[in-house]
Amino acid sequence: MIRRRLIVHGQVQGVGYRYSCQLQAERLGVCGWAANRDDGTVEVVLEGEQGPVTEMMAWLGRGPRHADVTRVEVGEETPEGAVGFDTY
């Protein structure tokens, strides 16, 4: 199990990014959450097996059709046993 915290920059609010993120995470079996931040970015925490988390991170770099991701910051964290995927 691995856990990653990402900050996604670009046009990522108001384009269905968090909802699409949740659907993709559930499809891949990745747990965690996604939340809009006041600075216009989206913060995402991912937890799961390395393969699905890596695939999810690649998706976050593209996002849904109307998003325009310009940069993604990635940090490593200790897994906490997250269950499900939420949006805030």
Side-chain angles (χ1 to χ4, degrees), residues 23-54:
L23 293 178
Q24 184 71 1
E26 290 171 349
R27 186 181 73 76
L28 293 171
V30 174
C31 298
W33 52 266
N36 284 342
R37 294 173 24 138
D38 290 340
D39 64 0
T41 61
V42 172
E43 183 173 5
V44 182
V45 170
L46 304 173
E47 190 168 313
E49 297 297 326
Q50 184 162 350
V53 169
T54 299

Side-chain angles (χ1 to χ4, degrees), residues 4-77:
R4 300 291 182 265
R5 182 177 302 267
L6 301 92
I7 307 297
V8 185
H9 297 260
Q11 182 60 44
V12 292
Q13 290 190 14
V15 293
Y17 192 92
R18 290 175 300 141
Y19 175 73
S20 297
C21 178
Q22 182 177 28
L23 293 178
Q24 184 71 1
E26 290 171 349
R27 186 181 73 76
L28 293 171
V30 174
C31 298
W33 52 266
N36 284 342
R37 294 173 24 138
D38 290 340
D39 64 0
T41 61
V42 172
E43 183 173 5
V44 182
V45 170
L46 304 173
E47 190 168 313
E49 297 297 326
Q50 184 162 350
V53 169
T54 299
E55 188 174 340
M56 185 69 197
M57 288 171 52
W59 183 91
L60 290 170
R62 296 183 306 274
R65 188 172 75 166
H66 296 293
D68 181 18
V69 178
T70 58
R71 178 169 56 106
V72 179
E73 300 173 42
V74 180
E76 296 183 17
E77 298 184 349

